[in-house]
Protein backbone atom coordinates (compact mmCIF):
# COMPACT_ATOMS: atom_id res chain seq x y z
CA UNK A 1 0.00 0.00 0.00
CA UNK A 2 2.82 2.41 0.81
CA UNK A 3 4.24 2.06 -2.72
CA UNK A 4 1.02 3.26 -4.33
CA UNK A 5 1.48 6.91 -3.46
CA UNK A 6 -1.28 9.45 -3.02
CA UNK A 7 -2.69 8.94 -6.51
CA UNK A 8 -2.79 5.18 -6.11
CA UNK A 9 -4.46 5.33 -2.71
CA UNK A 10 -7.03 7.76 -4.10
CA UNK A 11 -7.78 5.42 -7.01
CA UNK A 12 -8.11 2.47 -4.63
CA UNK A 13 -10.47 4.48 -2.41
CA UNK A 14 -12.61 5.34 -5.46
CA UNK A 15 -12.87 1.67 -6.39
CA UNK A 16 -13.73 0.68 -2.81
CA UNK A 17 -16.38 3.32 -2.15
CA UNK A 18 -17.94 3.77 -5.59
CA UNK A 19 -18.31 0.10 -6.46
CA UNK A 20 -19.49 -0.70 -2.96
CA UNK A 21 -22.14 2.01 -3.21
CA UNK A 22 -23.51 0.93 -6.60
CA UNK A 23 -25.81 -1.56 -4.86
CA UNK A 24 -27.44 1.26 -2.90
CA UNK A 25 -27.78 3.37 -6.06
CA UNK A 26 -29.42 0.46 -7.93
CA UNK A 27 -31.85 -0.08 -5.06
CA UNK A 28 -32.82 3.60 -5.08
CA UNK A 29 -33.35 3.65 -8.85
CA UNK A 30 -35.45 0.46 -8.75
CA UNK A 31 -38.06 2.37 -6.76
CA UNK A 32 -39.40 3.80 -10.04
CA UNK A 33 -37.70 1.93 -12.90
CA UNK A 34 -37.74 -1.89 -13.32
CA UNK A 35 -34.33 -3.61 -13.52
CA UNK A 36 -33.97 -4.42 -17.23
CA UNK A 37 -35.17 -0.99 -18.38
CA UNK A 38 -32.87 0.64 -15.82
CA UNK A 39 -29.81 -1.31 -16.98
CA UNK A 40 -30.60 -0.78 -20.67
CA UNK A 41 -30.71 2.98 -20.15
CA UNK A 42 -27.63 2.94 -17.92
CA UNK A 43 -25.36 1.03 -20.28
CA UNK A 44 -26.63 2.73 -23.43
CA UNK A 45 -25.70 6.11 -21.97
CA UNK A 46 -22.51 5.02 -20.19
CA UNK A 47 -21.28 2.99 -23.16
CA UNK A 48 -22.01 5.79 -25.62
CA UNK A 49 -20.24 8.41 -23.50
CA UNK A 50 -17.22 6.18 -22.87
CA UNK A 51 -16.93 5.22 -26.54
CA UNK A 52 -17.15 8.83 -27.73
CA UNK A 53 -14.74 10.11 -25.07
CA UNK A 54 -12.12 7.48 -25.87
CA UNK A 55 -12.40 8.09 -29.60
CA UNK A 56 -11.94 11.84 -29.09
CA UNK A 57 -8.88 11.29 -26.91
CA UNK A 58 -7.35 9.08 -29.59
CA UNK A 59 -7.38 12.09 -31.96
CA UNK A 60 -7.95 10.00 -35.07
CA UNK A 61 -5.22 7.45 -34.27
CA UNK A 62 -7.63 4.73 -33.14
CA UNK A 63 -8.42 1.95 -35.59
CA UNK A 64 -12.21 1.50 -35.85
CA UNK A 65 -13.42 -1.78 -34.30
CA UNK A 66 -14.18 -4.52 -36.79
CA UNK A 67 -17.56 -6.20 -37.18
CA UNK A 68 -16.07 -9.34 -35.67
CA UNK A 69 -14.96 -7.39 -32.60
CA UNK A 70 -18.42 -5.81 -32.29
CA UNK A 71 -20.03 -9.26 -32.46
CA UNK A 72 -17.63 -10.67 -29.87
CA UNK A 73 -18.13 -7.67 -27.57
CA UNK A 74 -21.91 -7.95 -27.88
CA UNK A 75 -21.87 -11.62 -26.95
CA UNK A 76 -19.49 -11.07 -24.04
CA UNK A 77 -21.45 -8.01 -22.91
CA UNK A 78 -24.70 -9.95 -22.99
CA UNK A 79 -23.18 -12.67 -20.83
CA UNK A 80 -21.49 -10.24 -18.45
CA UNK A 81 -24.07 -7.49 -18.14
CA UNK A 82 -27.43 -9.03 -19.02
CA UNK A 83 -26.60 -12.36 -17.39
CA UNK A 84 -24.51 -10.85 -14.59
CA UNK A 85 -25.50 -7.29 -13.67
CA UNK A 86 -29.05 -7.67 -14.96
CA UNK A 87 -29.79 -10.77 -12.89
CA UNK A 88 -28.27 -9.18 -9.80
CA UNK A 89 -30.44 -6.08 -10.28
CA UNK A 90 -33.45 -8.35 -10.72
CA UNK A 91 -32.53 -10.24 -7.54
CA UNK A 92 -32.56 -6.95 -5.63
CA UNK A 93 -36.33 -6.80 -6.09
CA UNK A 94 -36.35 -9.69 -3.58
CA UNK A 95 -33.16 -9.16 -1.57
CA UNK A 96 -31.58 -6.45 0.53
CA UNK A 97 -28.55 -4.71 -0.97
CA UNK A 98 -26.16 -6.21 1.59
CA UNK A 99 -27.32 -9.76 0.93
CA UNK A 100 -27.05 -9.26 -2.83
CA UNK A 101 -23.54 -7.84 -2.49
CA UNK A 102 -22.42 -10.84 -0.46
CA UNK A 103 -23.67 -13.26 -3.12
CA UNK A 104 -21.98 -11.20 -5.84
CA UNK A 105 -18.74 -11.33 -3.86
CA UNK A 106 -18.43 -15.02 -4.77
CA UNK A 107 -17.40 -14.17 -8.36
CA UNK A 108 -13.67 -14.93 -7.67
CA UNK A 109 -14.75 -18.34 -6.37
CA UNK A 110 -16.52 -19.19 -9.63
CA UNK A 111 -13.61 -17.72 -11.60
CA UNK A 112 -11.23 -20.09 -9.84
CA UNK A 113 -13.52 -23.04 -10.56
CA UNK A 114 -13.82 -22.09 -14.24
CA UNK A 115 -10.06 -21.62 -14.47
CA UNK A 116 -9.47 -25.05 -13.02
CA UNK A 117 -12.02 -26.73 -15.27
CA UNK A 118 -11.30 -24.91 -18.55
CA UNK A 119 -7.61 -24.06 -18.42
CA UNK A 120 -6.26 -26.55 -15.91
CA UNK A 121 -5.19 -23.79 -13.50
CA UNK A 122 -3.67 -25.31 -10.40
CA UNK A 123 -5.11 -24.07 -7.11
CA UNK A 124 -3.04 -23.56 -4.00
CA UNK A 125 -4.14 -24.93 -0.65
CA UNK A 126 -5.26 -21.44 0.36
CA UNK A 127 -7.37 -21.00 -2.78
CA UNK A 128 -8.93 -24.45 -2.35
CA UNK A 129 -9.84 -23.60 1.24
CA UNK A 130 -11.34 -20.34 -0.01
CA UNK A 131 -13.49 -22.20 -2.52
CA UNK A 132 -14.84 -24.48 0.19
CA UNK A 133 -15.59 -21.57 2.52
CA UNK A 134 -17.32 -19.67 -0.27
CA UNK A 135 -19.77 -22.49 -0.85
CA UNK A 136 -20.30 -22.76 2.91
CA UNK A 137 -20.99 -19.03 3.15
CA UNK A 138 -23.69 -19.26 0.48
CA UNK A 139 -25.27 -22.20 2.29
CA UNK A 140 -25.35 -20.23 5.56
CA UNK A 141 -26.82 -17.20 3.80
CA UNK A 142 -29.81 -19.19 2.51
CA UNK A 143 -32.76 -19.04 4.90
CA UNK A 144 -35.52 -21.35 3.56
CA UNK A 145 -38.03 -19.77 5.90
CA UNK A 146 -37.12 -16.23 4.90
CA UNK A 147 -38.79 -16.26 1.48
CA UNK A 148 -35.55 -15.20 -0.23
CA UNK A 149 -34.56 -18.42 -1.98
CA UNK A 150 -35.70 -17.18 -5.41
CA UNK A 151 -33.75 -13.96 -5.09
CA UNK A 152 -30.64 -15.76 -3.84
CA UNK A 153 -30.71 -18.22 -6.73
CA UNK A 154 -31.07 -15.38 -9.25
CA UNK A 155 -28.21 -13.45 -7.65
CA UNK A 156 -26.06 -16.58 -7.61
CA UNK A 157 -26.81 -17.17 -11.30
CA UNK A 158 -25.74 -13.58 -11.95
CA UNK A 159 -22.41 -14.13 -10.17
CA UNK A 160 -21.76 -17.29 -12.20
CA UNK A 161 -22.67 -15.49 -15.45
CA UNK A 162 -20.30 -12.61 -14.64
CA UNK A 163 -17.48 -15.07 -13.94
CA UNK A 164 -18.20 -16.92 -17.18
CA UNK A 165 -18.26 -13.68 -19.15
CA UNK A 166 -14.95 -12.59 -17.63
CA UNK A 167 -13.40 -15.93 -18.57
CA UNK A 168 -14.70 -15.55 -22.12
CA UNK A 169 -13.27 -12.07 -22.48
CA UNK A 170 -9.82 -13.53 -21.82
CA UNK A 171 -9.83 -15.41 -25.12
CA UNK A 172 -11.83 -13.39 -27.65
CA UNK A 173 -10.67 -10.73 -30.05
CA UNK A 174 -10.95 -7.22 -28.59
CA UNK A 175 -9.66 -3.73 -29.40
CA UNK A 176 -6.29 -2.88 -27.89
CA UNK A 177 -7.73 0.00 -25.85
CA UNK A 178 -9.54 -1.34 -22.76
CA UNK A 179 -11.99 1.56 -22.47
CA UNK A 180 -13.11 1.11 -26.08
CA UNK A 181 -13.59 -2.61 -25.49
CA UNK A 182 -15.53 -1.93 -22.29
CA UNK A 183 -17.80 0.60 -23.99
CA UNK A 184 -18.48 -1.88 -26.80
CA UNK A 185 -19.55 -4.49 -24.25
CA UNK A 186 -21.91 -1.98 -22.63
CA UNK A 187 -23.47 -0.97 -25.94
CA UNK A 188 -23.64 -4.58 -27.12
CA UNK A 189 -25.62 -5.59 -24.05
CA UNK A 190 -28.45 -3.07 -24.63
CA UNK A 191 -30.48 -5.19 -27.11
CA UNK A 192 -30.47 -8.08 -24.65
CA UNK A 193 -31.77 -5.85 -21.85
CA UNK A 194 -34.49 -4.42 -24.09
CA UNK A 195 -35.55 -7.90 -25.18
CA UNK A 196 -35.89 -9.10 -21.59
CA UNK A 197 -37.64 -5.89 -20.61
CA UNK A 198 -40.21 -6.49 -23.36
CA UNK A 199 -40.70 -10.13 -22.40
CA UNK A 200 -41.24 -9.16 -18.76
CA UNK A 201 -43.56 -6.28 -19.65
CA UNK A 202 -41.32 -3.77 -17.89
CA UNK A 203 -42.00 -0.82 -20.17
CA UNK A 204 -45.49 -0.49 -18.70
CA UNK A 205 -44.06 -0.88 -15.18
CA UNK A 206 -42.05 2.34 -15.27
CA UNK A 207 -43.44 4.68 -12.62
CA UNK A 208 -43.02 8.07 -14.26
CA UNK A 209 -44.57 9.87 -11.30
CA UNK A 210 -42.13 8.10 -8.98
CA UNK A 211 -39.03 9.35 -10.79
CA UNK A 212 -37.93 11.74 -8.07
CA UNK A 213 -34.68 13.76 -7.95
CA UNK A 214 -33.26 10.96 -5.79
CA UNK A 215 -33.96 8.38 -8.51
CA UNK A 216 -32.41 10.62 -11.16
CA UNK A 217 -29.35 11.23 -8.98
CA UNK A 218 -28.95 7.48 -8.41
CA UNK A 219 -29.15 6.84 -12.16
CA UNK A 220 -26.59 9.56 -12.98
CA UNK A 221 -24.31 8.14 -10.29
CA UNK A 222 -24.49 4.66 -11.83
CA UNK A 223 -23.70 6.01 -15.30
CA UNK A 224 -20.83 8.30 -14.35
CA UNK A 225 -19.21 7.06 -11.16
CA UNK A 226 -20.15 3.38 -11.30
CA UNK A 227 -19.52 2.67 -15.00
CA UNK A 228 -16.90 5.24 -16.01
CA UNK A 229 -14.97 6.83 -13.13
CA UNK A 230 -14.40 3.73 -11.01
CA UNK A 231 -13.57 1.52 -13.98
CA UNK A 232 -11.03 4.07 -15.23
CA UNK A 233 -9.44 4.16 -11.76
CA UNK A 234 -9.39 0.36 -11.72
CA UNK A 235 -7.63 0.18 -15.10
CA UNK A 236 -5.02 2.63 -13.81
CA UNK A 237 -4.47 0.48 -10.72
CA UNK A 238 -3.95 -2.61 -12.85
CA UNK A 239 -1.00 -0.88 -14.49
CA UNK A 240 0.55 0.50 -11.32
CA UNK A 241 -0.20 -1.95 -8.49
CA UNK A 242 0.14 -5.64 -7.75
CA UNK A 243 -2.93 -7.81 -8.56
CA UNK A 244 -3.25 -8.83 -4.90
CA UNK A 245 -3.58 -5.17 -3.86
CA UNK A 246 -6.05 -4.30 -6.60
CA UNK A 247 -8.00 -7.49 -5.90
CA UNK A 248 -8.76 -6.37 -2.36
CA UNK A 249 -11.83 -4.66 -3.80
CA UNK A 250 -13.42 -8.11 -4.07
CA UNK A 251 -13.84 -8.37 -0.31
CA UNK A 252 -13.97 -4.66 0.57
CA UNK A 253 -16.85 -3.80 -1.80
CA UNK A 254 -19.39 -6.15 -0.15
CA UNK A 255 -18.52 -4.78 3.30
CA UNK A 256 -19.05 -1.23 2.03
CA UNK A 257 -22.38 -2.30 0.48
CA UNK A 258 -23.57 -3.93 3.69
CA UNK A 259 -22.66 -0.89 5.80
CA UNK A 260 -24.25 1.57 3.36
CA UNK A 261 -27.40 -0.56 3.15
CA UNK A 262 -27.66 -0.38 6.92
CA UNK A 263 -26.76 3.33 7.23
CA UNK A 264 -28.56 4.76 4.18
CA UNK A 265 -31.46 2.37 3.53
CA UNK A 266 -32.05 1.21 7.10
CA UNK A 267 -31.59 -2.49 6.28
CA UNK A 268 -31.36 -4.90 9.18
CA UNK A 269 -28.17 -6.78 9.95
CA UNK A 270 -29.26 -10.23 11.11
CA UNK A 271 -27.00 -12.74 12.83
CA UNK A 272 -27.24 -15.11 9.86
CA UNK A 273 -26.22 -12.36 7.47
CA UNK A 274 -23.23 -11.31 9.60
CA UNK A 275 -21.95 -14.88 9.95
CA UNK A 276 -22.47 -15.68 6.27
CA UNK A 277 -20.90 -12.36 5.30
CA UNK A 278 -17.81 -13.04 7.39
CA UNK A 279 -17.41 -16.47 5.78
CA UNK A 280 -17.89 -15.13 2.24
CA UNK A 281 -15.45 -12.23 2.74
CA UNK A 282 -12.88 -14.60 4.24
CA UNK A 283 -13.29 -17.07 1.39
CA UNK A 284 -12.91 -14.31 -1.22
CA UNK A 285 -9.76 -13.07 0.47
CA UNK A 286 -8.28 -16.58 0.50
CA UNK A 287 -9.06 -17.12 -3.18
CA UNK A 288 -7.60 -13.74 -4.20
CA UNK A 289 -4.40 -14.11 -2.17
CA UNK A 290 -4.16 -17.79 -3.09
CA UNK A 291 -3.93 -16.83 -6.77
CA UNK A 292 -1.57 -13.83 -6.56
CA UNK A 293 -0.78 -13.63 -10.29
CA UNK A 294 -4.38 -13.72 -11.48
CA UNK A 295 -6.25 -10.38 -11.80
CA UNK A 296 -9.62 -10.26 -10.07
CA UNK A 297 -12.60 -9.36 -12.28
CA UNK A 298 -14.10 -5.93 -11.85
CA UNK A 299 -17.07 -5.42 -9.55
CA UNK A 300 -20.18 -7.14 -10.88
CA UNK A 301 -22.21 -3.91 -10.88
CA UNK A 302 -19.47 -1.88 -12.59
CA UNK A 303 -20.55 -2.35 -16.19
CA UNK A 304 -17.18 -3.55 -17.50
CA UNK A 305 -14.63 -6.23 -16.75
CA UNK A 306 -10.94 -6.44 -16.10
CA UNK A 307 -9.87 -8.58 -19.03
CA UNK A 308 -11.13 -6.55 -21.99
CA UNK A 309 -8.41 -5.34 -24.31
CA UNK A 310 -5.45 -6.96 -22.52
CA UNK A 311 -2.90 -9.30 -24.02
CA UNK A 312 -4.95 -12.44 -24.03
CA UNK A 313 -2.34 -15.17 -24.01
CA UNK A 314 -0.70 -13.78 -20.89
CA UNK A 315 -4.06 -13.69 -19.11
CA UNK A 316 -5.03 -17.18 -20.21
CA UNK A 317 -1.72 -18.53 -18.95
CA UNK A 318 -1.62 -16.35 -15.82
CA UNK A 319 -0.59 -19.37 -13.76
CA UNK A 320 1.85 -20.63 -16.39
CA UNK A 321 4.83 -20.45 -14.04
CA UNK A 322 3.36 -23.35 -12.10
CA UNK A 323 2.47 -25.43 -15.15
CA UNK A 324 4.64 -27.29 -17.63
CA UNK A 325 2.56 -27.04 -20.79
CA UNK A 326 -0.78 -25.83 -22.16
CA UNK A 327 -3.37 -28.62 -21.79
CA UNK A 328 -3.95 -30.36 -25.10
CA UNK A 329 -7.72 -30.29 -24.53
CA UNK A 330 -7.60 -26.50 -24.18
CA UNK A 331 -5.66 -26.15 -27.42
CA UNK A 332 -8.12 -28.36 -29.29
CA UNK A 333 -11.06 -26.40 -27.88
CA UNK A 334 -9.49 -23.11 -28.96
CA UNK A 335 -9.11 -21.85 -25.38
CA UNK A 336 -5.69 -20.42 -26.26
CA UNK A 337 -5.89 -17.79 -29.03
CA UNK A 338 -4.33 -18.91 -32.28
CA UNK A 339 -1.05 -17.23 -33.13
CA UNK A 340 0.81 -17.65 -36.40
CA UNK A 341 3.30 -20.45 -36.01
CA UNK A 342 2.34 -21.21 -32.40
CA UNK A 343 3.23 -24.74 -31.43
CA UNK A 344 3.81 -25.43 -27.74
CA UNK A 345 4.97 -24.10 -24.43
CA UNK A 346 8.50 -25.42 -24.03
CA UNK A 347 9.32 -24.10 -20.60
CA UNK A 348 7.55 -22.20 -17.90
CA UNK A 349 10.65 -20.41 -16.61
CA UNK A 350 12.06 -19.32 -19.99
CA UNK A 351 10.58 -17.38 -22.94
CA UNK A 352 8.05 -19.38 -24.94
CA UNK A 353 9.73 -20.93 -27.99
CA UNK A 354 7.78 -20.31 -31.16
CA UNK A 355 8.76 -22.05 -34.39
CA UNK A 356 7.76 -20.14 -37.47
CA UNK A 357 7.52 -21.93 -40.82
CA UNK A 358 10.71 -21.45 -42.77
CA UNK A 359 12.51 -19.77 -39.86
CA UNK A 360 14.57 -21.77 -37.40
CA UNK A 361 15.19 -20.91 -33.80
CA UNK A 362 13.07 -17.79 -33.67
CA UNK A 363 11.98 -17.19 -30.08
CA UNK A 364 9.28 -14.86 -28.89
CA UNK A 365 8.07 -13.82 -25.49
CA UNK A 366 4.36 -14.33 -24.67
CA UNK A 367 3.59 -10.65 -25.16
CA UNK A 368 4.83 -10.85 -28.76
CA UNK A 369 2.14 -13.36 -29.67
CA UNK A 370 -0.79 -10.98 -29.36
Amino acid sequence: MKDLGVRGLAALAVVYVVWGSTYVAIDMALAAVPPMVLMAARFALAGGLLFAWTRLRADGTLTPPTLRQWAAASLTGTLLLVGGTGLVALAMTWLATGTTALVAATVPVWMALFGRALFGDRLSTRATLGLSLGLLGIAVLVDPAGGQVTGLLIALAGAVAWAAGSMRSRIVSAPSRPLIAASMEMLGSVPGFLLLAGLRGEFSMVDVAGITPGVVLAFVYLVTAGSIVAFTAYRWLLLHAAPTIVGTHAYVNPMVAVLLGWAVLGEQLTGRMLVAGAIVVLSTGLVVTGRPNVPVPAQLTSGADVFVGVRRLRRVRAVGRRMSRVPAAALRAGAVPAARGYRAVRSVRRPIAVRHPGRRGVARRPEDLT
Side-chain angles (χ1 to χ4, degrees):
M1 292 288 187
K2 294 181 180 180
D3 297 334
L4 283 178
V6 175
R7 186 177 180 182
L9 291 175
L12 199 59
V14 167
V15 170
Y16 284 169
V17 177
V18 172
W19 278 350
S21 61
T22 49
Y23 292 95
V24 174
I26 291 174
D27 185 84
M28 294 174 63
L30 287 176
V33 185
M36 299 304 165
V37 173
L38 173 65
M39 292 300 142
R42 172 192 177 185
F43 293 128
L45 185 55
L49 290 174
L50 192 59
F51 188 87
W53 178 63
T54 309
R55 295 278 297 184
L56 288 174
R57 287 187 61 196
D59 194 23
T61 61
L62 185 64
T63 303
T66 64
L67 289 178
R68 182 176 181 180
Q69 289 175 336
W70 272 110
S74 297
L75 183 56
T76 303
T78 299
L79 186 59
L80 276 168
L81 303 180
V82 180
T85 311
L87 288 181
V88 165
L90 178 62
M92 290 180 66
T93 59
W94 281 277
L95 303 176
T97 59
T99 303
T100 309
L102 291 176
V103 177
T106 61
V107 166
V109 173
W110 306 116
M111 282 286 295
L113 286 174
F114 284 141
R116 184 72 182 96
L118 298 178
F119 302 124
D121 294 354
R122 293 181 181 178
L123 299 178
S124 64
T125 302
R126 176 179 295 188
T128 304
L129 177 60
L131 291 177
S132 303
L133 285 177
L135 298 177
L136 175 62
I138 293 297
V140 173
L141 196 60
V142 176
D143 182 8
Q148 297 181 335
V149 175
T150 300
L152 285 170
L153 290 176
I154 293 175
L156 191 60
V160 174
W162 182 269
S166 292
M167 293 297 289
R168 184 181 186 280
S169 69
R170 295 166 66 173
I171 60 175
V172 298
S173 174
S176 59
R177 295 181 182 246
L179 295 183
I180 281 287
S183 65
M184 289 169 61
E185 289 184 356
M186 294 182 198
L187 293 172
S189 70
V190 174
F193 280 117
L194 294 176
L195 177 61
L196 284 182
L199 293 175
R200 298 186 71 245
E202 287 191 357
F203 296 110
S204 61
M205 297 164 57
V206 177
D207 183 9
V208 179
I211 301 179
T212 62
V215 172
V216 174
L217 181 61
F219 176 76
V220 172
Y221 183 81
L222 288 171
V223 170
T224 56
S227 294
I228 298 178
V229 175
F231 182 73
T232 303
Y234 193 57
R235 292 299 314 187
W236 184 91
L237 285 169
L238 287 174
L239 298 175
H240 297 86
T244 49
I245 294 178
V246 184
T248 54
H249 84 87
Y251 41 92
V252 174
N253 289 157
M255 291 190 288
V256 172
V258 170
L259 290 176
L260 288 178
W262 168 74
V264 177
L265 303 177
E267 296 177 350
Q268 293 185 346
L269 299 178
T270 64
R272 177 188 292 272
M273 181 178 174
L274 292 175
V275 172
I279 296 175
V280 169
V281 169
L282 176 61
S283 72
T284 304
L286 290 173
V287 171
V288 171
T289 57
R291 307 174 76 214
N293 296 320
V294 180
V296 178
Q299 168 66 37
L300 190 148
T301 56
S302 65
D305 88 298
V306 66
F307 296 112
V308 290
V310 299
R311 289 168 175 165
R312 292 167 287 138
L313 182 58
R314 294 181 65 187
R315 292 294 184 244
V316 171
R317 304 310 314 147
V319 293
R321 293 181 181 179
R322 300 194 299 273
M323 304 185 66
S324 60
R325 94 176 27 247
V326 178
L331 289 173
R332 289 194 299 270
V336 177
R340 184 170 63 88
Y342 179 86
R343 289 295 180 266
V345 177
R346 297 287 184 183
S347 171
V348 296
R349 299 190 182 276
R350 295 188 296 275
I352 292 177
V354 182
R355 303 295 178 183
H356 291 270
R359 300 172 61 188
R360 295 185 177 182
V362 179
R364 294 288 188 269
R365 289 185 173 275
E367 51 265 38
D368 296 328
L369 298 179
T370 55

